[in-house]
Amino acid sequence: MAQTTINDISVDSSLVDPEKDLLGHANFAKYLADSICKMTFPEGFVIAVYGSWNSGKSTLLNFVVHYLQQKEDEEQPIIVPFNPWLLSGHQNITRRFFEQLQNVLSQQSSVPKGLKERLADFAAIISDIPLPYAQTGKALAALLDEKDKEAAELKEEVEETLVQQQRRIVVTIDDIDRLAAEDIKQLFRIFKAMRNFTNLVYLLVFDKQVVMKTIAEPKEISGEEYLEKIIQVSFELPVPDKISLRRLLFEKLDNIFTESPKPEINQTRWGEIYFQGIDRFINSIRDITRFINTLTVTYPAVKDEVNPVDFIAIESLRVFSPNIYSIIHQNPHILVGKVNPSIEELNSLLNTWIAQLPVEDKQPVKNLLMHLFPKLKSIFYNTCLHKKQELEWR
């Protein structure tokens, strides 16, 4: 029986197989892979896909790589994966980038001899030129100018060698938005240095707003302008529709509650609680991650003591409406037991709690409260209770 761990649904988890796609990313990934293989361009090309953290960017990148690897031999590109975040602050990103490029290309029989050595020489020079160096002393500036000339000459040699090989090179880069400003600029300098290399495509995925804010911190340049100088084509990661989000959430919930006795999961009650309450709060993959991570930690300790549907409902309030959850914890006497004769006073108090919420949250939270504590339905709607109902609710 499958067990769910935090790693299954954490922020850093991503899918590899498009067959498991629940969010509609696979179609876009296939389109992107086809475009990368078929498009014509005279020089190196930089493509970016923008998406917020935990929106499925890494999954999309994995899907693109999957489809690229399914191409026929004559069309299949050489894929060079690179994750600069794993190196940030510890090693020279430029040097490690070229090392990765050399390692991958050296394993390809179709790559011309000498390319690895030329890349190594080019990398050594590019790595030694600081960024920026406009404020350096005259002697150092003169030395750097010489290095620039040497780099330009080597660049031509690398380009001539790349022209000889037919297969396209696709460099995939993830987690740029986790880097410090200087690391981002160092990485982007590589793209600028190798921009006019034939048959070279960069595919980047990152949070545009985060990167713009990071590189614009010194206020030297607009983050938008900086990116426009680097990236030729950009896309926004397609936002999953509500049905896809529900499908993903239900799959994760099934993994957590797989051992719960079937009689305890009343499907009618679950449908009412979900669609009248919880559904309002599930609007992104991040919402699902927060909710599932919480349940993964809290449910196992109480699974033999609680009704799973009620537990999901109360935890949804704790995650998405913590103020209401806190009020519940502090006022159990109002929520359970017999209805107090001063029903109008209780109604006023409950509505005061609800009034603190955003407009769009008021009715969903109210619905959840009435499902969890049936006594509140009689208070909200000023109706009478039957003894049979009271016994059932207890």
Side-chain angles (χ1 to χ4, degrees), residues 92 135 140 198 210 293:
N92 186 301
Q135 303 303 319
L140 180 56
T198 300
V210 170
N293 278 347

Side-chain angles (χ1 to χ4, degrees), residues 281-301:
F281 303 105
I282 305 301
N283 301 302
S284 68
I285 301 177
R286 182 177 291 275
D287 294 334
I288 294 174
T289 300
R290 288 176 58 206
F291 192 31
I292 293 298
N293 278 347
T294 298
L295 291 170
T296 301
V297 173
T298 58
Y299 181 68

Side-chain angles (χ1 to χ4, degrees), residues 181 185 210-223:
K185 290 178 180 178
V210 170
V211 169
M212 285 198 305
K213 181 179 179 181
T214 302
I215 60 181
E217 282 300 327
K219 306 301 180 184
E220 298 171 356
I221 185 173
S222 155

Side-chain angles (χ1 to χ4, degrees), residues 56-204:
K57 299 188 303 298
S58 297
T59 289
L60 175 78
L61 192 61
N62 291 340
F63 287 175
V64 172
V65 169
H66 172 89
Y67 286 121
L68 290 174
Q69 292 172 335
Q70 302 304 308
K71 298 293 182 183
E72 298 294 333
D73 291 345
E74 64 274 9
E75 191 181 19
Q76 187 179 128
I78 298 170
I79 301 170
V80 182
F82 185 65
N83 192 320
W85 182 61
L86 300 177
L87 311 170
S88 178
H90 300 286
Q91 304 178 49
N92 186 301
I93 288 178
T94 304
R95 190 176 296 277
R96 287 306 304 271
F97 170 83
F98 281 101
E99 286 178 1
Q100 175 71 352
L101 185 59
Q102 294 164 41
N103 289 338
V104 173
L105 295 183
S106 64
Q107 298 172 25
Q108 304 293 325
S109 58
S110 61
V111 175
K113 294 180 179 179
L115 179 57
K116 181 177 179 180
E117 289 74 16
R118 293 292 82 192
L119 282 173
D121 295 337
F122 185 61
I125 293 175
I126 295 296
S127 302
D128 291 338
I129 301 176
L131 177 73
Y133 59 82
Q135 303 303 319
T136 56
K138 291 183 179 179
L140 180 56
L143 177 61
L144 293 173
D145 286 340
E146 288 299 318
K147 284 187 173 291
D148 274 342
K149 293 177 183 178
E150 189 178 353
E153 293 172 0
L154 277 170
K155 184 176 179 181
E156 290 183 10
E157 293 181 27
V158 173
E159 167 62 9
E160 291 173 1
T161 311
L162 279 172
V163 170
Q164 300 173 31
Q165 71 99 21
Q166 300 301 315
R167 292 178 65 189
R168 186 154 290 176
I169 299 171
V170 178
V171 180
T172 63
I173 304 182
D174 198 357
D175 289 333
I176 296 174
D177 42 28
R178 299 190 181 195
L179 300 175
E182 288 308 309
D183 290 329
I184 293 175
K185 290 178 180 178
Q186 185 181 158
L187 185 64
F188 284 174
R189 183 176 61 176
I190 297 173
F191 308 152
K192 293 176 70 176
M194 298 181 67
R195 170 167 291 177
N196 61 348
F197 282 2
T198 300
N199 269 340
L200 184 62
V201 179
Y202 297 96
L203 177 58
L204 324 176

Side-chain angles (χ1 to χ4, degrees), residues 312-327:
I312 295 173
I314 195 72
E315 286 295 88
S316 72
L317 289 174
R318 188 161 76 87
V319 173
F320 301 115
S321 190
N323 288 341
I324 292 295
Y325 181 86
S326 178
I327 290 171

Side-chain angles (χ1 to χ4, degrees), residues 381-394:
Y381 295 111
N382 194 19
T383 58
C384 297
L385 292 177
H386 298 292
K387 286 190 176 182
K388 184 178 180 182
Q389 286 179 308
E390 198 170 318
L391 288 173
E392 182 181 342
W393 294 344
R394 282 173 184 267

Side-chain angles (χ1 to χ4, degrees), residues 352-374:
T352 299
W353 297 350
I354 299 297
Q356 300 172 21
L357 299 171
V359 174
E360 61 274 17
D361 291 353
K362 290 180 179 179
Q363 191 59 50
V365 168
K366 193 172 180 179
N367 292 340
L368 283 170
L369 288 174
M370 287 189 290
H371 279 296
L372 282 166
F373 310 104

